[in-house]
Amino acid sequence: MLSSKEFWSLCLLLAVSLFLASLIKQDLWLLLAAGSLATVTYFMGDDILFAEYNKKREAKRARLQKAFDDRRKMR
């Protein structure tokens, strides 16, 4: 269950909903719940939610680093 992308997406959606509810009701307990859920989702679900994005970002970084190293070798 903790390795499910749908579960962490739902947790993130719930955190955003709680944040919006805390703004509407002006309730600090809802804000605390939203912050806690968002923090747990960030630390535990980040690798699952953004795995594809992280792979693409690392590939792009490696490609740029290689181009930079090749350019430095030419000088």
Side-chain angles (χ1 to χ4, degrees), residues 4-64:
S4 171
K5 188 173 183 177
E6 290 83 18
F7 173 75
W8 291 113
S9 297
L10 184 64
C11 286
L12 194 58
L13 182 65
L14 182 61
V16 170
S17 299
L18 284 173
F19 174 73
L20 292 175
S22 74
L23 290 178
I24 293 169
K25 291 193 169 219
Q26 295 180 352
D27 188 1
L28 289 178
W29 289 109
L30 288 175
L31 185 61
L32 178 66
S36 300
L37 186 57
T39 302
V40 168
T41 303
Y42 175 75
F43 285 114
M44 295 184 70
D46 181 55
D47 294 336
I48 297 166
L49 283 174
F50 301 108
E52 293 173 27
Y53 172 75
N54 290 338
K55 286 179 188 175
K56 289 178 184 177
R57 185 180 65 192
E58 286 299 318
K60 182 178 180 181
R61 190 193 67 74
R63 194 171 59 247
L64 288 173

Side-chain angles (χ1 to χ4, degrees), residues 59-73:
K60 182 178 180 181
R61 190 193 67 74
R63 194 171 59 247
L64 288 173
Q65 184 66 42
K66 183 181 181 308
F68 179 74
D69 291 342
D70 290 346
R71 188 170 179 195
R72 272 187 31 201
K73 288 178 184 178

